[in-house]
């Protein structure tokens, strides 16, 4: 058993940013636990640029972005343990003050007694099983993240004739990467009537390389015994059901799935934190505190972000809340729920104390033009803002002043298109 003021679970962009902010805020007794053999998280395999514009004011590759934080962690001598999987978070003797974090390491079981726990485990990809794609189960079918690891970390060719299902950002980035490696990416198919990734990736990764994107399309059959030999694709109706007579066959040896990300929430749930049915991450307040006092969450374990810069900024905001918790022993009660109104998919936070100004992150449920955002409290509109466009792929940030709200009263966020 060892002790620490704060334990950070995950050494990716969220965990590293939180650790640094805690240390610089005066909490030097903290410990990072990382499952992989080195710090950095998924950024280690993201060799493309485009990271860091918001956080650092310059464009960086994934490894470069991670190194900015890793170098600072090393400089401050913040302790960390790699090759460690956290398996449990429990209260100490039913006390809310201390938590026991149990982790499996090659040397045996590690237990840490901590006042605050930071959840920063990131997210994972949805697989073929998660979307129930029919057909045989040959080799040559993998998620976009696995394909990225094979190509960028192991220098392995994964196939010659490629088809991608889903227009997630990693899938589109891999369409470009595989094209540059000499493979033929035939097309990207998306079941939704709009792309699920960022517009810049549609342009830079697909359009610039003449890779077609077919919306409202899905795979209806997979063929191949030992190795994938082909797929069948069909158009979909508004209920995502294949339309008979629209089927088309494609010969290919590799199918890449880019069909969404899910927060790594098993540990969060096992600890007893309430999960949000839409984000699949924890329900949090404006301090990023979960429903368990002293347990905080930020980054992709909380909700899937569009930019890694926002992951780090959110984790730094979390650290400010955790610092206050460690100093005062508690945080103001979150008595004002935030309700998702028209065209709002989810918000972070989901409830607030309204004791101070905070940042509200949210996504819309469909693409919108000339949209009007409305924030109401007790049925009275307290904030209104216009947006030229809003799309589900982009997370929107909205600063909210506590003076606009009535503590303890319901808050509703909605967005409509102007006539």
């Amino acid at each position: 058993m060892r002790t620490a003021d704060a334990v950070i679970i995950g050494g990716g962009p969220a965990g590293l940013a939180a650790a640094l902010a805690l240390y610089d805020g005066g909490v030097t007794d903290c410990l990072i636990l990382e499952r992989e053999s080195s710090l950095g998280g998924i950024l280690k395999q993201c060799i493309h640029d485009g990271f860091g514009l918001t956080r650092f004011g310059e464009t960086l590759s994934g490894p470069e972005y991670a190194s900015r934080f890793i170098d600072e962690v090393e400089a401050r001598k913040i302790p960390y343990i790699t090759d460690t999987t956290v398996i449990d978070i429990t209260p100490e003797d039913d006390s809310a003050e201390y938590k026991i974090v149990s982790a499996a390491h090659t040397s045996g079981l590690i237990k840490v007694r901590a006042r605050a726990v930071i959840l920063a485990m990131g997210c994972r990809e949805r697989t073929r099983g998660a979307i129930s794609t029919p057909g045989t189960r040959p080799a040559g079918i993998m998620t976009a993240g696995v394909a990225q690891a094979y190509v960028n970390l192991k220098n392995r060719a994964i196939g010659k004739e490629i088809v991608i299902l889903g227009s997630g950002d990693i899938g589109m980035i891999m369409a470009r990467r595989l094209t540059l490696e000499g493979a033929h990416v035939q097309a990207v198919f998306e079941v939704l009537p709009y792309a699920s990734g960022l517009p810049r990736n549609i342009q830079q990764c697909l359009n610039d390389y003449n890779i077609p994107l077919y919306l409202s399309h899905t795979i209806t059959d997979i063929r191949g015994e030992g190795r994938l030999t082909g797929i069948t694709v069909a158009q979909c109706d508004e209920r995502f059901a294949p339309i008979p007579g629209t089927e088309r066959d494609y010969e290919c040896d590799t199918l890449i799935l880019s069909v969404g990300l899910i927060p790594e929430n098993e540990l969060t749930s096992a600890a007893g934190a309430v999960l949000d049915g839409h984000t699949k991450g924890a329900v949090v307040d404006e301090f990023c505190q979960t429903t368990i006092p002293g347990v905080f969450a930020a980054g992709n374990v909380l909700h899937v972000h569009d930019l890694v810069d926002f992951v780090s900024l959110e984790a730094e905001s979390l650290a400010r809340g955790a610092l206050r918790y460690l100093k005062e022993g508690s945080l103001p009660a979150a008595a004002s729920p935030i309700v998702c109104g028209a065209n709002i998919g989810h918000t972070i936070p989901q409830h607030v104390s309204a004791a101070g100004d905070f940042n509200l992150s949210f996504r819309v449920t469909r693409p919108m033009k000339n949209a009007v955002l409305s924030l109401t409290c007790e049925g009275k509109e307290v904030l209104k803002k216009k947006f030229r466009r809003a799309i589900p792929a982009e997370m929107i940030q909205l600063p909210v002043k506590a003076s606009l709200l009535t503590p303890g009263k319901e808050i509703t966020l909605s967005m409509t298109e102007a006539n």
Side-chain angles (χ1 to χ4, degrees):
M1 178 77 76
R2 58 190 295 174
T3 61
D5 283 332
V7 171
I8 299 97
I9 305 174
L16 295 173
L20 288 170
L22 284 170
Y23 187 95
D24 292 345
V27 178
T28 57
D29 183 17
C30 54
L31 173 67
I32 303 171
L33 299 177
E34 167 55 40
R35 181 174 58 187
E36 302 293 334
S37 59
S38 61
L39 300 176
I42 195 67
L43 291 172
K44 297 191 294 290
Q45 66 187 51
C46 301
I47 64 173
H48 54 280
D49 65 3
F51 302 93
L53 285 171
T54 301
R55 177 62 178 76
F56 294 109
E58 59 181 303
T59 183
L60 305 168
S61 69
E64 289 172 334
Y65 186 95
S67 291
R68 294 291 179 94
F69 290 100
I70 295 172
D71 291 346
E72 294 299 323
V73 166
E74 297 284 4
R76 289 165 176 76
K77 295 181 171 55
I78 298 175
Y80 60 87
I81 306 175
T82 58
D83 296 307
T84 303
T85 301
V86 176
I87 55 178
D88 202 10
I89 302 171
T90 55
E92 181 187 50
D93 300 325
D94 296 323
S95 168
E97 183 177 3
Y98 288 96
K99 273 69 66 176
I100 304 298
V101 178
S102 303
H105 185 262
T106 53
S107 63
L109 185 67
I110 296 173
K111 287 196 172 185
V112 187
R113 181 174 182 261
R115 294 179 59 202
V117 176
I118 313 302
L119 305 176
M121 296 88 73
C123 60
R124 66 176 183 271
E125 295 177 281
R126 295 177 70 199
T127 63
R128 176 184 175 182
I131 59 175
S132 301
T133 305
T136 57
R137 302 178 64 85
I141 303 174
M142 65 192 75
T143 63
V146 170
Q148 189 179 60
Y150 273 123
V151 176
N152 293 346
L153 296 181
K154 301 181 182 298
N155 196 30
R156 298 283 187 180
I158 62 172
K160 296 180 179 179
E161 291 292 332
I162 315 290
V163 170
I164 299 177
L165 176 63
S167 58
D169 289 311
I170 302 176
M172 291 193 287
I173 289 168
M174 283 309 297
R176 175 181 62 185
R177 183 77 175 94
L178 291 166
T179 299
L180 292 173
E181 288 295 324
H184 177 218
V185 180
Q186 298 184 36
V188 175
F189 298 101
E190 171 60 58
V191 70
L192 296 171
Y194 54 84
S196 58
L198 295 171
R200 73 179 188 190
N201 287 328
I202 298 173
Q203 181 60 47
Q204 297 173 4
C205 301
L206 301 185
N207 295 347
D208 287 355
Y209 293 88
N210 297 315
I211 300 172
L213 169 62
Y214 295 99
L215 302 176
S216 297
H217 281 71
T218 192
I219 292 177
T220 58
D221 190 26
I222 291 174
R223 297 181 298 279
E225 297 301 328
R227 176 79 187 196
L228 179 69
T229 57
I231 62 170
T232 300
V233 176
Q235 295 181 30
C236 298
D237 60 21
E238 63 277 3
R239 297 183 179 180
F240 311 125
I243 301 174
T246 64
E247 296 86 358
R248 181 179 175 183
D249 293 334
Y250 289 82
E251 293 184 2
C252 58
D253 56 29
T254 304
L255 171 62
I256 293 177
L257 305 178
S258 183
V259 290
L261 303 169
I262 306 171
E264 286 277 12
N265 57 22
E266 286 76 14
L267 185 61
T268 309
S269 179
V274 175
L275 300 184
D276 183 299
H278 188 94
T279 65
K280 309 303 180 185
V283 171
V284 296
D285 59 19
E286 69 264 44
F287 306 103
C288 289
Q289 181 178 238
T290 70
T291 51
I292 305 174
V295 177
F296 300 79
N300 286 338
V301 75
L302 180 58
H303 61 135
V304 177
H305 291 60
D306 51 346
L307 297 175
V308 71
D309 301 65
F310 292 150
V311 167
S312 301
L313 291 170
E314 186 174 80
E316 289 164 350
S317 176
L318 172 154
R320 291 190 288 272
L323 286 167
R324 181 173 174 179
Y325 173 84
L326 290 169
K327 180 180 179 180
E328 301 177 7
S330 64
L331 293 170
S336 296
I338 299 178
V339 177
C340 294
N343 299 309
I344 302 297
H346 74 268
T347 69
I348 297 292
Q350 292 91 343
H351 55 188
V352 296
S353 68
D357 299 345
F358 63 93
N359 191 60
L360 185 63
S361 302
F362 66 94
R363 290 182 190 265
V364 295
T365 57
R366 64 181 180 87
M368 305 177 72
K369 293 182 179 180
N370 299 320
V372 179
L373 177 75
S374 176
L375 186 72
T376 63
C377 184
E378 291 188 280
K380 178 183 177 182
E381 187 174 70
V382 296
L383 180 61
K384 186 176 182 179
K385 187 174 181 180
K386 294 181 178 180
F387 291 83
R388 185 175 60 85
R389 68 158 196 175
I391 59 175
E394 294 180 343
M395 189 170 66
I396 301 174
Q397 308 275 345
L398 180 70
V400 179
K401 293 187 176 297
S403 59
L404 299 174
L405 309 173
T406 302
K409 300 300 181 179
E410 184 176 277
I411 303 163
T412 300
L413 184 72
S414 59
M415 183 174 281
T416 57
E417 287 183 306
N419 294 327

